[in-house]
Amino acid sequence: IGDCKSLRERALSLKVTSLKRWQEEHQRRARLRILKGVSNIKTADVYKDALQGLEYEYELIDDKERLIQESLEMSHCVATYATKINSGQCGIFSIMYEGNRYTLEVGKVDKYLCSIQLKGKFNAIAPEQLQYKVNNVLLKDLLQTV
């Protein structure tokens, strides 16, 4: 009931009789309440074309609602990265690979962009092949100077 009040939602029906359903509803509302404090985001221009040339479908996450959606659907904490995104420390991407979605944090080391972390649902480790392809695209400028 407290979660419903803070989210300004209609109260949960008292007809719910399953303990599992009560737990699911509580978890959903608790996550929403926590994420309610996520600030609007503005991704730095340097990240906008970071994955250009990647052969897999990807999306730059560049608004608050999409960041929260990614966090909820992937069951990880990427929504807490709003401050890092706004300060230009990182850009967040969603990548589709072999029917699964992965979340990529891209950051800067010196003047080069690199993969900070690439995670699947529940922070699962991404396949090596995907990590390799992402790193090749991000580090193409560095690799050309070597």
Side-chain angles (χ1 to χ4, degrees):
I1 293 172
D3 288 336
C4 291
K5 283 183 179 180
S6 68
L7 292 170
R8 296 185 178 152
E9 288 185 355
R10 196 176 67 135
L12 180 64
S13 169
L14 295 177
K15 293 179 182 178
V16 174
T17 57
S18 154
L19 176 60
K20 183 178 179 185
R21 174 75 193 281
W22 275 108
Q23 291 170 333
E24 288 170 354
E25 287 297 318
H26 171 69
Q27 288 173 342
R28 184 184 72 78
R29 284 183 171 85
R31 276 188 257 134
L32 288 173
R33 187 176 36 82
I34 291 165
L35 295 174
K36 187 177 177 183
V38 174
S39 60
N40 289 327
I41 62 171
K42 177 157 179 26
T43 303
D45 289 341
V46 69
Y47 299 105
K48 295 201 174 167
D49 294 325
L51 292 182
Q52 188 172 16
L54 185 67
E55 61 191 86
Y56 308 112
E57 180 184 339
Y58 67 88
E59 169 194 10
L60 172 64
I61 296 175
D62 60 357
D63 67 57
K64 171 185 175 173
E65 289 74 24
R66 181 63 186 90
L67 185 67
I68 291 170
Q69 177 189 10
E70 186 78 3
S71 188
L72 291 174
E73 289 180 6
M74 298 298 286
S75 297
H76 55 47
C77 67
V78 75
T80 65
Y81 286 49
T83 302
K84 287 177 72 175
I85 294 167
N86 288 332
S87 68
Q89 293 177 6
C90 74
I92 304 295
F93 292 85
S94 181
I95 302 172
M96 288 301 294
Y97 175 76
E98 295 185 348
N100 294 306
R101 193 161 86 208
Y102 297 89
T103 307
L104 170 67
E105 177 188 3
V106 175
K108 285 174 36 176
V109 175
D110 295 324
K111 62 180 183 174
Y112 300 105
L113 296 179
C114 62
S115 171
I116 304 298
Q117 56 181 330
L118 179 58
K119 302 288 184 174
K121 194 165 187 160
F122 302 110
N123 284 323
I125 297 170
E128 285 184 32
Q129 179 68 17
L130 178 58
Q131 292 179 32
Y132 175 80
K133 296 280 186 170
V134 165
N135 285 325
N136 278 346
V137 168
L138 289 172
L139 298 174
K140 65 182 172 259
D141 295 335
L142 178 62
L143 294 173
Q144 290 173 355
T145 63
V146 176

